[in-house]
Amino acid sequence: MSLLAQLYSAIATETVEIVDLTAPLNESTPVLQLPEPFTNTINFQLEEISRYDERGPRWYWNNIHTGEHTGTHVDAPNHWVTGRDGHDVAGLPLRTLVAPAVVLDASARVADDPDYLLSIDDVRAWEGEHGPLPEGGWLLYRTGWDERSAEQNRFLNVDATGSHTPGVAADCARWLAEQTPIVGLGVETVGTDAGRAMELEPAFPCHELILGAGKCGLTQLRNLARLPATGALLMVCPLPIVGGSGSPARVLALVERG
């Protein structure tokens, strides 16, 4: 039996489970809200073209109105000024889009502190228990924030002092960008950076440093709690938008069971 036939058989018999990490995409999908004077993306919208009627008696279809960075989506390196000469979303290497993934779970810390920032020590402690970060793989940062993702106000968690969502400390972002073999960072929040990332040095360090290093971001993931700490295979499927800085994506993980 070929390797692909073995894989299909394992999926069919549920020895390998397909876990959907993607948030549903609709008009209520939370989107990032930047303060003035910056311009924000639009909410996702469907515009009906026809639905089995006089506009098209046998077919139903829609136009899609959305931003590149809406819902579960990929940040390509050229999304940020430091990565402007890097890949657009259509040019991302396929080995970046199909790659091993590991899960670092900081949900207990985030439950006590929504502004929690992942540290180098956190990652090194994880490595001490599970082994090194995967060469050419993804680090998925579990915070439990996906529990809020159906409700924009809870998801963005804004008060008079700003947005309070977890992220990555600036020195950790630099270390992940420059000294680890990962190809990208995935999170459950609206963006890879913390809600108060503008206050860090540099501001928005995941964007500034990780994208600047030619690596990718992946946001608004769900179901990371269903993945093991190591051993999953991630499959990221963005639209190949030529010149695009990102794209909504269907994100799946293959997990060996039993």
Side-chain angles (χ1 to χ4, degrees), residues 10-205:
I11 292 170
T13 59
E14 299 184 350
T15 305
V16 169
E17 180 186 5
I18 303 173
V19 181
D20 195 348
L21 306 184
T22 316
L25 191 56
N26 55 45
E27 67 278 358
S28 63
T29 296
V31 296
L32 182 68
Q33 296 296 305
L34 298 173
E36 293 183 352
F38 305 115
T39 303
N40 281 296
T41 190
I42 62 172
N43 287 85
F44 180 85
Q45 302 167 45
L46 285 181
E47 177 193 7
E48 189 174 279
I49 302 170
S50 68
R51 193 176 183 117
Y52 327 120
D53 53 27
E54 66 280 359
R55 299 169 300 170
R58 304 293 295 178
W59 52 89
Y60 164 56
W61 58 342
N62 303 285
N63 290 320
I64 297 172
H65 300 266
T66 188
E68 298 171 321
H69 300 265
T70 299
T72 303
H73 66 269
V74 177
D75 291 346
N78 73 333
H79 174 46
W80 211 252
V81 64
T82 50
R84 66 195 306 168
D85 296 324
H87 288 298
D88 66 3
V89 69
L92 293 176
L94 296 182
R95 287 192 176 182
T96 294
L97 301 179
V98 180
V102 299
V103 179
L104 190 156
D105 186 353
S107 57
R109 294 184 179 91
V110 172
D112 293 330
D113 178 11
D115 290 311
Y116 186 79
L117 299 179
L118 187 73
S119 70
I120 296 174
D121 285 345
D122 290 332
V123 183
R124 285 180 168 153
W126 183 94
E127 288 185 306
E129 182 176 356
H130 300 288
L133 294 176
E135 183 81 34
W138 288 80
L139 172 61
L140 306 182
Y141 176 29
R142 180 175 180 245
T143 57
W145 212 254
D146 59 333
E147 182 272 329
R148 299 168 174 252
S149 64
E151 188 178 341
Q152 171 134 335
N153 289 342
R154 291 186 68 234
F155 196 59
L156 300 185
N157 201 32
V158 178
D159 63 17
T161 64
S163 178
H164 299 276
T165 64
V168 179
D171 62 338
C172 185
R174 184 177 299 279
W175 180 72
L176 291 172
E178 299 176 358
Q179 299 186 44
T180 70
I182 62 170
V183 295
L185 171 71
V187 300
E188 297 169 323
T189 44
V190 73
T192 52
D193 274 302
R196 305 187 72 178
M198 191 176 287
E199 302 169 15
L200 302 180
E201 180 56 45
F204 305 107

